[in-house]
Amino acid sequence: MPKISIIVSVYGAEKYIERCVRSLFEQTLDDIEYIFIDDCSPDHSIEILNRVLVEYPYRREQVKIHLMARNCGPIARFYGLNLATGDYVIYCDSDDWVDKDTCQVCYSKAETDSLDVVFFDFDVTNGIVHKIIKRQPAIQNKKILLSQLISGRLMGSLCGALVRRSIYLENPLIYPQYNMNEDLALLIQLIHYARSYGYISRPFYHYFKSPESITARGTKEKAVINYNASVANFELLHPFFESNGYFQDYRQEFACMKFRRMNTLALYAQEVDVRDLWRKAFHELGYRSFFNPFIPVNDKLICLMTLTNIYKLVYDYRHK
């Protein structure tokens, strides 16, 4: 059984996938299983993957490439769990890359301290500017850790965590079906069922923020689609949250989540159809949200500017 299964969803990444797979194949840990999910990529990504793999013959037997029957977007990588056999699972996006000792250090930490989950930091970059995201999870207190995730104070990406595979196999997880906040929806459940957590204060993961990214600023239509997808993913989890008392225990954190999600529509809220959607979300939260200590001041300011119809003007001025 491999020590770690690395799952990579591949779609439209021909510009970046070589950098990604080289960082994975050059891991200092030998006992790794690589699972690449071809999400019906329309470009030469898989061809590039196979070409690079020739240069690493000792990795050939460790690689699985699976073609999806249809394009599923980011949630396609969850299919990789069906193929994984490693003790632990880690995800990597095909336009990102990791440090060469990521698996070795994280695996050693997990085994030495008997951990179900090991968090680490992010380097967010456009290729020129780098910003280090320090996660600093509350690893000694599950309730605070969940509070951090739900409120958005802790980046809810599965790419920044090594997770024991048995946590996926032995618990009734509800898998997200839509491509927005899908990692967060699943990570909350994994933390709920896990028993022990660790943290390594190093930015092992390099998140490439390209203009083509699904999460980059796009059109009004994309903003609405992403908003509705996020809402739908968390509606799927409603039974899980309700049965475990989350709505009572994390009431303000969920309000913060909804508030920040609402703000993703702010740039287009002057247009009638989006305005109606935004106002509906705001009315559910109410003005009491401005007294919620979990909501960052910047998000409250965005909301106030949206209410007074000046947010787009301010945004456009600052991004000239």
Side-chain angles (χ1 to χ4, degrees), residues 10-18 21 36 38 41-52 94:
V10 180
Y11 182 84
E14 64 180 4
K15 294 180 182 178
Y16 315 110
I17 193 168
E18 180 172 347
V21 298
F36 294 94
D38 179 1
S41 186
D43 61 5
H44 301 288
S45 294
I46 299 300
E47 294 173 36
I48 295 170
L49 164 60
N50 282 310
R51 174 175 57 78
V52 175
S94 53

Side-chain angles (χ1 to χ4, degrees), residues 283-301:
H283 288 157
E284 289 178 2
L285 293 165
Y287 285 94
R288 64 183 180 278
S289 299
F290 291 108
F291 300 97
N292 186 330
F294 290 99
I295 300 175
V297 172
N298 186 59
D299 285 283
K300 293 175 181 177
L301 288 174

